Amino acid sequence: MNATVSPPWTYTLQLPHDPRAPGIARATLRAVLETYGLGELTPTAELLAGELLNNAHCHTDGPYALRLRSSSPEGIRVAVWDSNPRIPPGFGEDGRALDRQPPETAEGGRGLHIVRACANSWGSYPMGTGHTGKLLWAEVTPGSGR
């Protein structure tokens, strides 16, 4: 029996600044992963997407976008664009350390720590030349989600 080779794919979902947008994006992610037979990645990929989407929603007043693409035959890259140009500590190319862990009583500030703990790799791209903002990304493959 011959294995089916899946060509590379990319999906981008433009989202309004609406508190329901992250949930809609996560539902879309689940549908895409199921369609490509990558359902085992769903729990970790949904966690990564949720944290990146919530970060975009909290730190911008405008729209943002979820981008999903195949990163290998069995892995995906989850990326979120937003209009805020500030790249958070721990995601920049200059090797900045991630902010220290927030106190146990803090109600926020753990999202990017979770992304770094669960993803195989992560990073960012500043947007320039006609675009504003940044793109934060994380990759997940089978066996991720430490």
Side-chain angles (χ1 to χ4, degrees), residues 2-73:
N2 293 335
T4 302
V5 176
S6 179
W9 49 265
T10 301
Y11 291 89
T12 302
L13 180 62
Q14 303 292 330
L15 299 159
H17 194 268
D18 181 301
R20 296 166 288 212
I24 291 167
R26 289 190 309 273
T28 301
L29 176 137
R30 289 190 299 270
V32 168
L33 293 180
E34 188 63 33
T35 298
Y36 285 96
L38 299 170
E40 74 177 272
L41 300 179
T42 300
T44 303
E46 189 173 1
L47 175 67
L48 297 174
E51 294 301 338
L52 294 174
L53 288 160
N54 286 333
N55 191 62
H57 185 80
C58 289
H59 296 286
T60 63
D61 292 328
Y64 43 98
L66 173 69
R67 183 175 185 198
L68 307 171
R69 76 170 175 88
S70 57
S71 63
S72 67

Side-chain angles (χ1 to χ4, degrees), residues 88-135:
F91 274 75
E93 295 176 6
D94 61 3
R96 291 179 290 170
L98 189 59
D99 290 339
R100 64 180 178 78
Q101 192 76 309
E104 287 184 26
T105 56
E107 292 186 19
R110 292 178 181 77
L112 297 181
H113 292 275
I114 292 169
V115 170
R116 287 177 48 132
C118 295
N120 293 91
S121 58
W122 60 88
S124 63
Y125 296 107
M127 305 304 281
T129 318
H131 295 84
T132 60
K134 66 181 171 299
L135 182 83

